[in-house]
PDB file of all heavy atoms in Angstrom:
ATOM      1  N   ALA Z 204      -2.281  -8.245   2.956  1.00 97.00           N
ATOM      2  CA  ALA Z 204      -2.391  -8.669   1.687  1.00 97.00           C
ATOM      3  C   ALA Z 204      -1.822  -7.727   0.707  1.00 97.00           C
ATOM      4  O   ALA Z 204      -1.015  -8.017  -0.180  1.00 97.00           O
ATOM      5  CB  ALA Z 204      -3.856  -8.885   1.263  1.00 97.00           C
ATOM      6  N   SER Z 205      -2.069  -6.446   0.970  1.00 97.00           N
ATOM      7  CA  SER Z 205      -1.503  -5.378   0.151  1.00 97.00           C
ATOM      8  C   SER Z 205       0.042  -5.305   0.296  1.00 97.00           C
ATOM      9  O   SER Z 205       0.748  -5.195  -0.728  1.00 97.00           O
ATOM     10  CB  SER Z 205      -2.094  -3.977   0.532  1.00 97.00           C
ATOM     11  OG  SER Z 205      -3.521  -3.970   0.364  1.00 97.00           O
ATOM     12  N   ALA Z 206       0.520  -5.434   1.557  1.00 97.00           N
ATOM     13  CA  ALA Z 206       1.928  -5.434   1.769  1.00 97.00           C
ATOM     14  C   ALA Z 206       2.615  -6.620   1.107  1.00 97.00           C
ATOM     15  O   ALA Z 206       3.695  -6.439   0.557  1.00 97.00           O
ATOM     16  CB  ALA Z 206       2.242  -5.387   3.250  1.00 97.00           C
ATOM     17  N   SER Z 207       1.951  -7.787   1.177  1.00 97.00           N
ATOM     18  CA  SER Z 207       2.486  -8.970   0.534  1.00 97.00           C
ATOM     19  C   SER Z 207       2.593  -8.876  -0.990  1.00 97.00           C
ATOM     20  O   SER Z 207       3.604  -9.297  -1.636  1.00 97.00           O
ATOM     21  CB  SER Z 207       1.659 -10.223   0.924  1.00 97.00           C
ATOM     22  OG  SER Z 207       1.708 -10.382   2.355  1.00 97.00           O
ATOM     23  N   ILE Z 208       1.530  -8.266  -1.531  1.00 97.00           N
ATOM     24  CA  ILE Z 208       1.565  -8.109  -3.071  1.00 97.00           C
ATOM     25  C   ILE Z 208       2.676  -7.114  -3.307  1.00 97.00           C
ATOM     26  O   ILE Z 208       3.371  -7.321  -4.309  1.00 97.00           O
ATOM     27  CB  ILE Z 208       0.186  -7.409  -3.563  1.00 97.00           C
ATOM     28  CG1 ILE Z 208      -0.851  -8.543  -3.385  1.00 97.00           C
ATOM     29  CG2 ILE Z 208       0.313  -6.928  -4.945  1.00 97.00           C
ATOM     30  CD1 ILE Z 208      -2.299  -8.066  -3.639  1.00 97.00           C
ATOM     31  N   GLY Z 209       2.854  -6.087  -2.563  1.00 97.00           N
ATOM     32  CA  GLY Z 209       3.964  -5.157  -2.731  1.00 97.00           C
ATOM     33  C   GLY Z 209       5.320  -5.819  -2.703  1.00 97.00           C
ATOM     34  O   GLY Z 209       6.219  -5.551  -3.511  1.00 97.00           O
ATOM     35  N   ALA Z 210       5.484  -6.672  -1.710  1.00 97.00           N
ATOM     36  CA  ALA Z 210       6.725  -7.419  -1.449  1.00 97.00           C
ATOM     37  C   ALA Z 210       7.054  -8.307  -2.683  1.00 97.00           C
ATOM     38  O   ALA Z 210       8.191  -8.345  -3.145  1.00 97.00           O
ATOM     39  CB  ALA Z 210       6.688  -8.254  -0.252  1.00 97.00           C
ATOM     40  N   LEU Z 211       6.049  -8.984  -3.169  1.00 97.00           N
ATOM     41  CA  LEU Z 211       6.201  -9.906  -4.348  1.00 97.00           C
ATOM     42  C   LEU Z 211       6.556  -9.056  -5.606  1.00 97.00           C
ATOM     43  O   LEU Z 211       7.524  -9.463  -6.379  1.00 97.00           O
ATOM     44  CB  LEU Z 211       4.987 -10.725  -4.543  1.00 97.00           C
ATOM     45  CG  LEU Z 211       4.668 -11.766  -3.478  1.00 97.00           C
ATOM     46  CD1 LEU Z 211       3.348 -12.362  -3.741  1.00 97.00           C
ATOM     47  CD2 LEU Z 211       5.772 -12.850  -3.467  1.00 97.00           C
ATOM     48  N   LEU Z 212       5.924  -7.975  -5.848  1.00 96.00           N
ATOM     49  CA  LEU Z 212       6.159  -7.193  -7.062  1.00 96.00           C
ATOM     50  C   LEU Z 212       7.540  -6.521  -6.981  1.00 96.00           C
ATOM     51  O   LEU Z 212       8.274  -6.447  -7.957  1.00 96.00           O
ATOM     52  CB  LEU Z 212       5.012  -6.174  -7.281  1.00 96.00           C
ATOM     53  CG  LEU Z 212       3.706  -6.825  -7.556  1.00 96.00           C
ATOM     54  CD1 LEU Z 212       2.624  -5.708  -7.889  1.00 96.00           C
ATOM     55  CD2 LEU Z 212       3.738  -7.715  -8.849  1.00 96.00           C
ATOM     56  N   GLU Z 213       7.866  -6.050  -5.783  1.00 95.00           N
ATOM     57  CA  GLU Z 213       9.191  -5.459  -5.521  1.00 95.00           C
ATOM     58  C   GLU Z 213      10.301  -6.415  -5.805  1.00 95.00           C
ATOM     59  O   GLU Z 213      11.356  -6.119  -6.423  1.00 95.00           O
ATOM     60  CB  GLU Z 213       9.349  -4.854  -4.154  1.00 95.00           C
ATOM     61  CG  GLU Z 213      10.539  -4.084  -3.840  1.00 95.00           C
ATOM     62  CD  GLU Z 213      10.582  -3.490  -2.445  1.00 95.00           C
ATOM     63  OE1 GLU Z 213      10.745  -4.223  -1.521  1.00 95.00           O
ATOM     64  OE2 GLU Z 213      10.345  -2.288  -2.327  1.00 95.00           O
ATOM     65  N   ASN Z 214      10.085  -7.705  -5.411  1.00 94.00           N
ATOM     66  CA  ASN Z 214      11.042  -8.728  -5.628  1.00 94.00           C
ATOM     67  C   ASN Z 214      11.111  -9.220  -7.099  1.00 94.00           C
ATOM     68  O   ASN Z 214      12.034  -9.924  -7.372  1.00 94.00           O
ATOM     69  CB  ASN Z 214      10.780  -9.885  -4.709  1.00 94.00           C
ATOM     70  CG  ASN Z 214      11.382  -9.752  -3.276  1.00 94.00           C
ATOM     71  OD1 ASN Z 214      12.536 -10.092  -3.050  1.00 94.00           O
ATOM     72  ND2 ASN Z 214      10.569  -9.239  -2.362  1.00 94.00           N
ATOM     73  N   ARG Z 215      10.179  -8.724  -7.834  1.00 94.00           N
ATOM     74  CA  ARG Z 215      10.242  -8.995  -9.271  1.00 94.00           C
ATOM     75  C   ARG Z 215      10.967  -7.840 -10.046  1.00 94.00           C
ATOM     76  O   ARG Z 215      11.003  -7.757 -11.185  1.00 94.00           O
ATOM     77  CB  ARG Z 215       8.857  -9.119  -9.856  1.00 94.00           C
ATOM     78  CG  ARG Z 215       8.083 -10.405  -9.357  1.00 94.00           C
ATOM     79  CD  ARG Z 215       6.719 -10.546  -9.950  1.00 94.00           C
ATOM     80  NE  ARG Z 215       6.732 -11.080 -11.274  1.00 94.00           N
ATOM     81  CZ  ARG Z 215       6.627 -12.369 -11.587  1.00 94.00           C
ATOM     82  NH1 ARG Z 215       6.356 -13.237 -10.581  1.00 94.00           N
ATOM     83  NH2 ARG Z 215       6.689 -12.866 -12.795  1.00 94.00           N
ATOM     84  N   GLY Z 216      11.539  -6.897  -9.205  1.00 93.00           N
ATOM     85  CA  GLY Z 216      12.262  -5.848  -9.786  1.00 93.00           C
ATOM     86  C   GLY Z 216      11.507  -4.581 -10.102  1.00 93.00           C
ATOM     87  O   GLY Z 216      12.021  -3.666 -10.713  1.00 93.00           O
ATOM     88  N   LEU Z 217      10.253  -4.462  -9.573  1.00 95.00           N
ATOM     89  CA  LEU Z 217       9.498  -3.255  -9.847  1.00 95.00           C
ATOM     90  C   LEU Z 217       9.579  -2.286  -8.711  1.00 95.00           C
ATOM     91  O   LEU Z 217       9.733  -2.606  -7.581  1.00 95.00           O
ATOM     92  CB  LEU Z 217       8.017  -3.731  -9.944  1.00 95.00           C
ATOM     93  CG  LEU Z 217       7.749  -4.634 -11.220  1.00 95.00           C
ATOM     94  CD1 LEU Z 217       6.435  -5.244 -11.118  1.00 95.00           C
ATOM     95  CD2 LEU Z 217       7.932  -3.891 -12.565  1.00 95.00           C
ATOM     96  N   ASN Z 218       9.461  -1.010  -9.060  1.00 95.00           N
ATOM     97  CA  ASN Z 218       9.491   0.097  -8.070  1.00 95.00           C
ATOM     98  C   ASN Z 218       8.004   0.330  -7.704  1.00 95.00           C
ATOM     99  O   ASN Z 218       7.169   0.694  -8.460  1.00 95.00           O
ATOM    100  CB  ASN Z 218      10.093   1.300  -8.715  1.00 95.00           C
ATOM    101  CG  ASN Z 218      10.208   2.475  -7.684  1.00 95.00           C
ATOM    102  OD1 ASN Z 218      10.072   2.247  -6.553  1.00 95.00           O
ATOM    103  ND2 ASN Z 218      10.399   3.640  -8.194  1.00 95.00           N
ATOM    104  N   ILE Z 219       7.699   0.086  -6.367  1.00 96.00           N
ATOM    105  CA  ILE Z 219       6.295   0.129  -5.947  1.00 96.00           C
ATOM    106  C   ILE Z 219       6.060   1.141  -4.787  1.00 96.00           C
ATOM    107  O   ILE Z 219       7.067   1.541  -4.156  1.00 96.00           O
ATOM    108  CB  ILE Z 219       5.859  -1.290  -5.508  1.00 96.00           C
ATOM    109  CG1 ILE Z 219       6.642  -1.740  -4.182  1.00 96.00           C
ATOM    110  CG2 ILE Z 219       6.031  -2.339  -6.580  1.00 96.00           C
ATOM    111  CD1 ILE Z 219       5.873  -1.566  -2.904  1.00 96.00           C
ATOM    112  N   THR Z 220       4.838   1.505  -4.608  1.00 97.00           N
ATOM    113  CA  THR Z 220       4.466   2.294  -3.502  1.00 97.00           C
ATOM    114  C   THR Z 220       3.084   1.833  -3.042  1.00 97.00           C
ATOM    115  O   THR Z 220       2.395   1.129  -3.842  1.00 97.00           O
ATOM    116  CB  THR Z 220       4.532   3.764  -3.615  1.00 97.00           C
ATOM    117  OG1 THR Z 220       4.432   4.488  -2.363  1.00 97.00           O
ATOM    118  CG2 THR Z 220       3.427   4.290  -4.545  1.00 97.00           C
ATOM    119  N   LEU Z 221       2.632   2.173  -1.859  1.00 97.00           N
ATOM    120  CA  LEU Z 221       1.338   1.717  -1.357  1.00 97.00           C
ATOM    121  C   LEU Z 221       0.689   2.993  -0.727  1.00 97.00           C
ATOM    122  O   LEU Z 221       1.288   3.798  -0.141  1.00 97.00           O
ATOM    123  CB  LEU Z 221       1.485   0.693  -0.319  1.00 97.00           C
ATOM    124  CG  LEU Z 221       2.134  -0.656  -0.842  1.00 97.00           C
ATOM    125  CD1 LEU Z 221       3.520  -0.748  -0.345  1.00 97.00           C
ATOM    126  CD2 LEU Z 221       1.384  -1.869  -0.351  1.00 97.00           C
ATOM    127  N   ILE Z 222      -0.636   2.982  -0.852  1.00 97.00           N
ATOM    128  CA  ILE Z 222      -1.497   4.099  -0.298  1.00 97.00           C
ATOM    129  C   ILE Z 222      -2.606   3.509   0.418  1.00 97.00           C
ATOM    130  O   ILE Z 222      -3.205   2.482   0.086  1.00 97.00           O
ATOM    131  CB  ILE Z 222      -2.032   4.963  -1.477  1.00 97.00           C
ATOM    132  CG1 ILE Z 222      -0.908   5.522  -2.301  1.00 97.00           C
ATOM    133  CG2 ILE Z 222      -2.908   6.110  -0.909  1.00 97.00           C
ATOM    134  CD1 ILE Z 222      -1.390   6.243  -3.537  1.00 97.00           C
ATOM    135  N   LYS Z 223      -2.926   4.095   1.656  1.00 96.00           N
ATOM    136  CA  LYS Z 223      -4.101   3.642   2.380  1.00 96.00           C
ATOM    137  C   LYS Z 223      -5.146   4.776   2.411  1.00 96.00           C
ATOM    138  O   LYS Z 223      -4.828   5.866   2.813  1.00 96.00           O
ATOM    139  CB  LYS Z 223      -3.650   3.357   3.824  1.00 96.00           C
ATOM    140  CG  LYS Z 223      -4.803   2.881   4.766  1.00 96.00           C
ATOM    141  CD  LYS Z 223      -5.446   1.561   4.373  1.00 96.00           C
ATOM    142  CE  LYS Z 223      -6.630   1.249   5.270  1.00 96.00           C
ATOM    143  NZ  LYS Z 223      -6.233   0.941   6.657  1.00 96.00           N
ATOM    144  N   LEU Z 224      -6.367   4.421   1.991  1.00 96.00           N
ATOM    145  CA  LEU Z 224      -7.470   5.426   2.035  1.00 96.00           C
ATOM    146  C   LEU Z 224      -8.412   4.950   3.204  1.00 96.00           C
ATOM    147  O   LEU Z 224      -8.943   3.902   3.183  1.00 96.00           O
ATOM    148  CB  LEU Z 224      -8.202   5.374   0.711  1.00 96.00           C
ATOM    149  CG  LEU Z 224      -7.422   5.674  -0.495  1.00 96.00           C
ATOM    150  CD1 LEU Z 224      -8.263   5.580  -1.762  1.00 96.00           C
ATOM    151  CD2 LEU Z 224      -6.758   7.059  -0.415  1.00 96.00           C
ATOM    152  N   ASP Z 225      -8.600   5.843   4.101  1.00 93.00           N
ATOM    153  CA  ASP Z 225      -9.437   5.433   5.358  1.00 93.00           C
ATOM    154  C   ASP Z 225     -10.683   6.343   5.290  1.00 93.00           C
ATOM    155  O   ASP Z 225     -10.645   7.514   5.237  1.00 93.00           O
ATOM    156  CB  ASP Z 225      -8.623   5.765   6.631  1.00 93.00           C
ATOM    157  CG  ASP Z 225      -7.637   4.645   6.957  1.00 93.00           C
ATOM    158  OD1 ASP Z 225      -8.174   3.459   7.000  1.00 93.00           O
ATOM    159  OD2 ASP Z 225      -6.435   4.896   7.154  1.00 93.00           O
ATOM    160  N   PRO Z 226     -11.841   5.669   5.535  1.00 93.00           N
ATOM    161  CA  PRO Z 226     -13.172   6.365   5.348  1.00 93.00           C
ATOM    162  C   PRO Z 226     -13.460   7.252   6.591  1.00 93.00           C
ATOM    163  O   PRO Z 226     -14.450   8.070   6.467  1.00 93.00           O
ATOM    164  CB  PRO Z 226     -14.192   5.202   5.269  1.00 93.00           C
ATOM    165  CG  PRO Z 226     -13.353   4.026   4.975  1.00 93.00           C
ATOM    166  CD  PRO Z 226     -12.089   4.268   5.654  1.00 93.00           C
ATOM    167  N   TYR Z 227     -12.831   7.155   7.737  1.00 91.00           N
ATOM    168  CA  TYR Z 227     -13.256   7.904   8.893  1.00 91.00           C
ATOM    169  C   TYR Z 227     -13.098   9.410   8.757  1.00 91.00           C
ATOM    170  O   TYR Z 227     -12.167   9.863   7.927  1.00 91.00           O
ATOM    171  CB  TYR Z 227     -12.702   7.368  10.164  1.00 91.00           C
ATOM    172  CG  TYR Z 227     -11.218   7.137  10.221  1.00 91.00           C
ATOM    173  CD1 TYR Z 227     -10.302   8.267  10.335  1.00 91.00           C
ATOM    174  CD2 TYR Z 227     -10.567   5.896  10.107  1.00 91.00           C
ATOM    175  CE1 TYR Z 227      -8.989   8.081  10.359  1.00 91.00           C
ATOM    176  CE2 TYR Z 227      -9.300   5.677  10.086  1.00 91.00           C
ATOM    177  CZ  TYR Z 227      -8.438   6.855  10.315  1.00 91.00           C
ATOM    178  OH  TYR Z 227      -7.109   6.629  10.252  1.00 91.00           O
ATOM    179  N   ILE Z 228     -13.756  10.176   9.506  1.00 91.00           N
ATOM    180  CA  ILE Z 228     -13.844  11.666   9.384  1.00 91.00           C
ATOM    181  C   ILE Z 228     -12.555  12.304  10.055  1.00 91.00           C
ATOM    182  O   ILE Z 228     -12.295  13.460   9.768  1.00 91.00           O
ATOM    183  CB  ILE Z 228     -15.139  12.262   9.871  1.00 91.00           C
ATOM    184  CG1 ILE Z 228     -16.306  11.613   9.176  1.00 91.00           C
ATOM    185  CG2 ILE Z 228     -15.169  13.806   9.673  1.00 91.00           C
ATOM    186  CD1 ILE Z 228     -16.305  11.848   7.611  1.00 91.00           C
ATOM    187  N   ASN Z 229     -11.972  11.619  10.954  1.00 89.00           N
ATOM    188  CA  ASN Z 229     -10.813  12.140  11.627  1.00 89.00           C
ATOM    189  C   ASN Z 229      -9.766  12.548  10.504  1.00 89.00           C
ATOM    190  O   ASN Z 229      -9.610  11.853   9.549  1.00 89.00           O
ATOM    191  CB  ASN Z 229     -10.112  11.134  12.558  1.00 89.00           C
ATOM    192  CG  ASN Z 229     -11.011  10.661  13.615  1.00 89.00           C
ATOM    193  OD1 ASN Z 229     -11.988   9.939  13.315  1.00 89.00           O
ATOM    194  ND2 ASN Z 229     -10.729  10.923  14.833  1.00 89.00           N
ATOM    195  N   VAL Z 230      -9.077  13.711  10.688  1.00 84.00           N
ATOM    196  CA  VAL Z 230      -8.059  14.089   9.754  1.00 84.00           C
ATOM    197  C   VAL Z 230      -6.907  13.095   9.735  1.00 84.00           C
ATOM    198  O   VAL Z 230      -6.408  12.800   8.641  1.00 84.00           O
ATOM    199  CB  VAL Z 230      -7.485  15.511  10.119  1.00 84.00           C
ATOM    200  CG1 VAL Z 230      -6.343  15.894   9.249  1.00 84.00           C
ATOM    201  CG2 VAL Z 230      -8.608  16.543   9.950  1.00 84.00           C
ATOM    202  N   ASP Z 231      -6.582  12.570  10.823  1.00 84.00           N
ATOM    203  CA  ASP Z 231      -5.624  11.422  10.916  1.00 84.00           C
ATOM    204  C   ASP Z 231      -5.901  10.698  12.140  1.00 84.00           C
ATOM    205  O   ASP Z 231      -6.667  11.160  13.000  1.00 84.00           O
ATOM    206  CB  ASP Z 231      -4.173  11.919  10.786  1.00 84.00           C
ATOM    207  CG  ASP Z 231      -3.789  12.877  11.915  1.00 84.00           C
ATOM    208  OD1 ASP Z 231      -4.125  12.682  13.088  1.00 84.00           O
ATOM    209  OD2 ASP Z 231      -3.101  13.903  11.587  1.00 84.00           O
TER     210      ASP Z 231
END
């Protein structure tokens, strides 16, 4: 859903980026 929103807004001529926040304790 986030990627699709990004694709739609990018196709409207906007410069976008996306961030993922993960709750687990692993560093990555």
